């Protein structure tokens, strides 16, 4: 599975080691839907190197609150469970890839 869907139950297990890209999104969000193919492509391209994950803010409000997500899409990069950077809004794949190197 290239893109993993995170919940409060599996978040620590999945993101606790290595590098992770977490997309905070919602199904009603137009820019989130526009970003979805990019996230899927990144999941395939970086499989085995970076964990590419999604958090539905409506289904997981605790995770959204924990990361202070006020606008979506919000992309958070974690290393060993700790946030290293974030961007808000629709971004091209090249911009997101720069966050992962």
């Amino acid at each position: 599975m290239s893109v993993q869907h995170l919940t409060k139950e599996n978040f620590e297990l999945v993101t606790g080691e290595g590098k992770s890209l977490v997309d905070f999104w919602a199904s009603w969000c137009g820019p989130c839907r526009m970003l979805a193919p990019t996230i899927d492509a990144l999941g395939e391209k970086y499989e085995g190197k970076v964990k590419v994950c999604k958090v539905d803010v409506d289904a997981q409000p605790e995770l959204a609150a924990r990361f202070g997500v006020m606008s979506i899409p919000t992309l958070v990069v974690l290393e060993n469970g700790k946030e290293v950077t974030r961007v808000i809004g629709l971004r091209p794949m090249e911009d997101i890839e720069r966050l992962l190197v």
Side-chain angles (χ1 to χ4, degrees):
M1 176 190 318
S2 355
V3 176
Q4 299 181 58
H5 293 269
L6 300 180
T7 64
K8 64 182 180 180
E9 290 79 22
N10 72 355
F11 190 88
E12 301 299 328
L13 180 66
V14 174
T15 64
E17 289 185 25
K19 187 174 275 192
S20 304
L21 171 68
V22 182
D23 173 23
F24 288 88
W25 71 286
S27 61
W28 49 263
C29 166
C32 298
R33 289 194 309 271
M34 292 171 63
L35 184 62
T38 300
I39 297 299
D40 291 340
L42 288 168
E44 289 180 23
K45 184 173 183 176
Y46 287 92
E47 190 163 11
K49 300 175 199 150
V50 176
K51 297 170 196 145
V52 178
C53 311
K54 296 179 75 106
V55 172
D56 181 339
V57 297
D58 290 332
Q60 300 298 320
E62 301 92 348
L63 286 175
R66 174 176 158 193
F67 282 88
V69 173
M70 303 298 283
S71 298
I72 54 174
T74 292
L75 300 174
V76 176
V77 177
L78 304 170
E79 286 188 27
N80 300 320
K82 307 276 189 235
E83 181 176 340
V84 292
T85 191
R86 75 170 55 200
V87 293
I88 298 169
L90 183 60
R91 304 292 173 125
M93 183 181 284
E94 299 77 28
D95 287 0
I96 299 169
E97 285 184 295
R98 280 194 281 275
L99 302 173
L100 303 178
V101 293

